[in-house]
Amino acid sequence: MTIRVGYFPNNNSLFVLRHTGLLERRLPDVEWIDLRDLPASHAVDPRTALPTLHSDWLFETGGYDFIGTGFTPPITGLGQGRDLVYVGISGPRVENGRLVSLADSGIRTAADLRGKRVGIAHGSWQTTLVLLALDRVGLTWSDIVPVDVDVNAGGSALLGGELDAWVGAYPGLAGVEAQAQLRTLVDTDGLFSHPSLWFTSREFAENHRAELEAIVAALQESDAAIVADPREAARHFVADADQRGGNADPDRWEDALRGRPFGIGPVTDEFLDEQQRAADLLHANGLLPKAVDVRAAVVPWIGDLVAATRPVAAS
């Protein structure tokens, strides 16, 4: 049976694994599915809904069996009634990005965002960051004008005056910092842990345990290699940008990867509490069609599997 693994650059671990050949040693019939090459799902209004692309393709023909994303997509899938399960999480990535404005914009705190255009890669961890930040100062999603922007294009939109605030992430945020003085409105640190995470369908987990273990073990091995040589890992992101007609700075990618946590751990109660709080806020603000219980997506034996694959030093 061919095992289909989804990947894209925003999940650094899977993106690097795609280019190492480490998974193929364990699963010769693996097929890699680039999310960017899949048909786009229907556009949603960022004021009233979340895009469901990442979770949808776990359950649709031509999709994949396993995926890694940021914080929000599994919540979105659960809110759509998808029977998905968590596989594992990284350590906190609070250094990865933050909510910023131009220093001379007059916007000094999240409380000043009422009526403002806030750029986010909607449906990603960035949506959750903004929602948590708004809730902390007594605002709701309807108090801002959310603007769905590409991770890389958002900085240009901020500099060009098309946005009032933006959730930037490295390495793209470094390029904007080099061009303008920014004000940090909200740091990720102290708001939520913002890990990478991996999930699959319950059907795949229950019927393909050996294959799931192989994927997790290969990710652990690949992540260890990233930590040992972030410069080599950065090369894959630069080459991908070149192939797609863009450009990327290897030094900025190396710096970004060097500062991020790698290695997969089991889901924790603290992480699940954060997921539940985000799910409750997304539902209360009209972005999820129904309330969800995130702990219903926890399968205890998967946690044991992930723990068993971790290097001794990471345990």
Side-chain angles (χ1 to χ4, degrees), residues 177-195:
E177 290 172 332
Q179 299 179 65
Q181 186 175 357
L182 303 180
R183 182 183 300 279
T184 296
L185 305 179
V186 178
D187 274 314
T188 305
D189 194 8
L191 196 62
F192 74 131
S193 62
H194 174 32

Side-chain angles (χ1 to χ4, degrees), residues 75-87:
I75 300 172
T76 303
L78 293 170
Q80 296 290 332
R82 298 297 199 182
D83 193 12
L84 58 84
V85 295
Y86 298 105
V87 174

